[in-house]
Amino acid sequence: GWTTADLVFLWKEGDPVQVVKNLHLPRFTLEKFLTDYCNSKTNTGEYSCLKVDLLFKREFSYYLIQIYIPCCMLVIVSWVSFWLDQGAVPARVSLGVTTLLTMATQTSGINASLPPVSYTKAIDVWTGVCLTFVFGALLEFALVNYASRSADRAADMHRENMKKKRREMEQASLDAASDLLDTDSNATFAMKPLVRHPGDPLALEKLRQCEVHMQAPKRPNCCRSWLSKFPTRQCSRSKRIDVISRITFPLVFALFNLVYWSTYLFREEEED
């Protein structure tokens, strides 16, 4: 209520702001403070004003223990389903759904503890990618289950076809035996010799036509030799999906961590 003609605020020269030495915050550290003036002019005159800016830095250890490590552990736990048997449907479904719900609860708790903003934060990128990995592990089991059921149907069809062919062969053999019994017992059959004499010109001609071509052995491929343990048959397709997921998911998550930490840590250094 007093204009600068009556009252003027001035910062003290040298150590204008005193901070308690044992002051400690669990999530932030006071880096520094900046003093300035914020005088305002109105129709009634000019009023004196002082301003101080307190710059805080987040405690990285708190967020590392409370947010980053638990989210990383949830993602790793979701990969356990890749090592379970494809027939253990209740175990894999319960593991996938539990980790997905836990990750969603963790994400909502993190967003509730932080102030709402209109832009995407670094923690939003981390929780979003972790939630995507957990959801992808659940979708991977759905794909494995579908491939397994397709393999069962193919095996049943193959079994039915084999039974049908066996019945046809048995019927054909019975018909041939009955035809032989009906023929004359004195009938003779002309048989060709199984082995020809060395002087036979037909055998020499066939020997000249027979040639053997040898190819140089190809260099073994590590990936193909590893995948050859799981043949491309329909019954092994689900097992192959699990084996590929055991390698793909950790590699992609490690690559994401490399890009994430390098991006945000270098950005902080540039800002400093």
Side-chain angles (χ1 to χ4, degrees):
W2 301 90
T3 61
T4 55
D6 300 323
L7 179 65
V8 176
F9 293 112
L10 297 175
W11 282 111
K12 178 183 177 182
E13 293 293 337
D15 196 14
V17 179
Q18 291 79 34
V19 181
V20 181
K21 293 184 179 180
N22 58 356
L23 179 63
H24 179 71
L25 298 176
R27 299 186 182 183
F28 303 96
T29 301
L30 180 61
E31 289 289 312
K32 58 182 178 179
F33 52 85
L34 302 175
T35 58
D36 197 3
Y37 294 95
C38 55
N39 296 343
S40 61
K41 293 182 180 180
T42 61
N43 296 332
T44 58
E46 183 179 359
Y47 297 89
S48 182
C49 175
L50 298 180
K51 180 178 68 172
V52 58
D53 293 331
L54 303 177
L55 300 181
F56 292 92
K57 183 179 180 180
R58 295 183 185 273
E59 282 286 351
F60 179 72
S61 59
Y62 171 82
Y63 294 94
L64 181 66
I65 297 173
Q66 297 294 328
I67 295 177
Y68 286 100
I69 293 180
C71 292
C72 186
M73 292 176 63
L74 284 175
V75 174
I76 295 175
V77 168
S78 67
W79 299 341
V80 176
S81 62
F82 303 153
W83 300 89
L84 297 179
D85 185 51
Q86 58 187 3
V89 177
R92 298 188 67 165
V93 170
S94 60
L95 182 62
V97 173
T98 303
T99 52
L100 183 62
L101 293 177
T102 307
M103 190 66 215
T105 305
Q106 184 82 357
T107 303
S108 61
I110 293 170
N111 294 329
S113 62
L114 297 176
V117 293
S118 59
Y119 54 86
T120 302
K121 304 185 293 294
I123 196 66
D124 295 334
V125 176
W126 174 264
T127 54
V129 172
C130 290
L131 189 62
T132 303
F133 270 94
V134 175
F135 183 68
L138 186 60
L139 290 182
E140 188 270 347
F141 170 66
L143 182 61
V144 168
N145 192 16
Y146 174 77
S148 178
R149 287 187 287 108
S150 299
D152 293 339
R153 288 196 298 267
D156 293 338
M157 293 179 62
H158 180 70
R159 195 178 299 108
E160 292 295 331
N161 293 332
M162 292 298 293
K163 289 182 180 179
K164 184 177 180 180
K165 290 181 180 180
R166 190 180 297 109
R167 286 195 297 266
E168 291 177 355
M169 293 176 62
E170 291 176 356
Q171 186 64 32
S173 62
L174 290 177
D175 295 340
S178 61
D179 293 339
L180 290 175
L181 291 175
D182 293 339
T183 56
D184 188 5
S185 61
N186 296 325
T188 59
F189 301 94
M191 298 183 65
K192 297 180 180 180
L194 296 178
V195 180
R196 295 184 179 272
H197 298 286
D200 192 352
L202 183 60
L204 294 176
E205 183 180 358
K206 289 185 177 181
L207 287 175
R208 294 191 188 97
Q209 294 178 358
C210 181
E211 296 179 356
V212 178
H213 300 277
M214 302 294 293
Q215 294 182 354
K218 298 181 180 180
R219 296 182 61 184
N221 193 343
C222 298
C223 296
R224 290 183 178 179
S225 60
W226 178 69
L227 290 176
S228 63
K229 298 178 182 179
F230 307 97
T232 56
R233 296 180 304 169
Q234 189 76 8
C235 60
S236 300
R237 187 177 301 173
S238 58
K239 183 65 176 178
R240 170 172 288 192
I241 294 173
D242 275 340
V243 173
I244 294 176
S245 299
R246 296 172 190 174
I247 306 290
T248 305
F249 274 76
L251 286 180
V252 175
F253 189 67
L255 180 62
F256 162 72
N257 275 270
L258 179 62
V259 174
Y260 178 84
W261 294 111
S262 60
T263 300
Y264 286 103
L265 291 179
F266 290 156
R267 179 180 298 180
E268 289 183 359
E269 293 179 358
E270 293 176 357
E271 291 178 355
D272 296 338

